[in-house]
Amino acid sequence: MAAPMALRRGGRLLSLLRACPRYSSRSSRPAAGLLKGRILPYLYDRFYDMEAFIDFGTKLTGWNLERKNTHYLRIQEKYGDDLAAAVFALMLKGGVRFRGQTEWYREHNRKRFCVDLVNYQGVPLEAADFSGSIISYEGLGSLVNLKALKHLDLSRCPNVDDWCLSRLHVFGETLEELSLAGCPRVTERGLGCLHHLESLRRLDVSDLPSVPCKGLVRILLEEMLPQCEVVGIRYDEDELTLPIEPDVHQGQTELLREAARVQKTREIPA
């Protein structure tokens, strides 16, 4: 008798589960029209809220970028331009080196730099490494007063653009090495602003996605900066193809190719 009673109870339990909307196969798959009728009005009602949220996020990102590129005026007034620029570079997880020193101060020894801060008062800042940082046009304002900067690394900086390069003219008499490798916003217009750097000896312009006709750009750079070694761009015939219109005289293209061949013969082998 126990077995039939268990079967009866099991049958009743199964019928209750089938009747329950949660476990019913029909209710577990709501109609597509019902689901669409609920989701679309929901998204429509909150579209403007989402747009405002995205706009707020964009403004917050811009504010944070501007905040991190702010000048350290108190340090500048108390210790001078060189130490203020050094603190700014270290806060952006970069590196600095002073004149007469071989050791670089970076994020791992930033605390020791704070201890040695007074010892470097009056010592010119000779090298600054901002590679991979978020330095921007405003942030470069912390460096424009440096009188002895020789080495500047701006490689892989996403906010460095043509306007930033236009601020480097103040280092025309001192800057000897400059790296712009991997800067996605640098174009040939910004590279044209580098003609003021008369003391430049080495320029790294490798991996610049926004610069077309790289072989021709190298020719222009070597023409502007004859004393400078331009690295990162090769003389390839494919890169010397100009995107010109069909009605433009082909003689200009042949002239540029001839100039490229002449420059290629003068290139010093690595």
Side-chain angles (χ1 to χ4, degrees):
M1 295 295 294
M5 292 296 295
L7 290 176
R8 291 179 182 177
R9 294 178 180 177
R12 293 178 181 177
L13 180 60
L14 183 60
S15 62
L16 290 176
L17 289 177
R18 289 178 178 176
C20 182
R22 183 177 180 180
Y23 296 95
S24 176
S25 59
R26 296 180 179 178
S27 61
S28 60
R29 297 181 180 178
L34 182 61
L35 186 62
K36 184 178 180 180
R38 291 181 179 179
I39 293 180
L40 291 182
Y42 178 83
L43 295 177
Y44 179 78
D45 293 338
R46 286 158 180 77
F47 172 77
Y48 294 103
D49 295 337
M50 183 60 65
E51 185 178 5
F53 179 77
I54 295 175
D55 182 64
F56 173 76
T58 303
K59 292 181 179 179
L60 182 62
T61 303
W63 173 82
N64 189 35
L65 178 64
E66 183 179 356
R67 178 182 64 85
K68 291 185 177 180
N69 281 274
T70 304
H71 302 177
Y72 291 87
L73 296 179
R74 293 183 179 179
I75 298 179
Q76 184 178 7
E77 294 174 356
K78 186 175 182 179
Y79 297 102
D81 298 325
D82 295 273
L83 286 180
V87 173
F88 171 71
L90 293 176
M91 292 302 294
L92 290 185
K93 300 181 180 180
V96 293
R97 180 168 56 83
F98 291 88
R99 175 180 292 180
Q101 303 294 326
T102 58
E103 181 183 8
W104 282 76
Y105 285 100
R106 298 188 181 273
E107 185 180 11
H108 65 276
N109 57 359
R110 185 173 60 182
K111 294 182 178 180
R112 187 160 61 86
F113 170 75
C114 296
V115 177
D116 301 338
L117 185 66
V118 182
N119 298 331
Y120 288 102
Q121 190 171 5
V123 180
L125 184 65
E126 193 173 69
D129 181 8
F130 290 93
S131 57
S133 69
I134 59 173
I135 188 172
S136 63
Y137 180 86
E138 291 76 12
L140 286 174
S142 300
L143 309 179
V144 295
N145 294 325
L146 301 181
K147 304 302 182 182
L149 187 64
K150 293 183 178 181
H151 310 277
L152 180 59
D153 190 349
L154 299 176
S155 59
R156 306 186 312 278
C157 293
N159 300 308
V160 171
D161 55 8
D162 297 340
W163 291 103
C164 294
L165 300 187
S166 66
R167 302 198 73 170
L168 301 183
H169 67 91
V170 295
F171 307 121
E173 298 180 358
T174 61
L175 195 62
E176 298 179 357
E177 293 187 12
L178 174 63
S179 178
L180 302 173
C183 293
R185 302 177 63 180
V186 170
T187 69
E188 67 278 4
R189 296 180 180 87
L191 296 177
C193 301
L194 302 180
H195 69 276
H196 298 284
L197 305 180
E198 300 178 355
S199 300
L200 199 63
R201 296 293 179 266
R202 188 177 189 275
L203 174 62
D204 189 352
V205 287
S206 58
D207 191 20
L208 298 180
S210 299
V211 176
C213 303
K214 294 180 172 56
L216 294 177
V217 170
R218 175 170 178 172
I219 294 175
L220 296 177
L221 289 174
E222 291 178 346
E223 183 70 20
M224 292 188 308
L225 305 169
Q227 78 288 349
C228 179
E229 177 189 5
V230 180
V231 299
I233 292 181
R234 301 173 301 165
Y235 292 110
D236 292 336
E237 291 296 332
D238 294 337
E239 295 179 349
L240 296 179
T241 302
L242 289 178
I244 58 177
E245 298 296 333
D247 57 344
V248 179
H249 296 289
Q250 297 298 328
Q252 297 178 358
T253 306
E254 296 298 329
L255 181 61
L256 290 173
R257 289 182 177 176
E258 182 63 23
R261 283 192 289 269
V262 173
Q263 290 289 341
K264 188 174 182 180
T265 58
R266 298 179 182 176
E267 185 180 11
I268 301 176

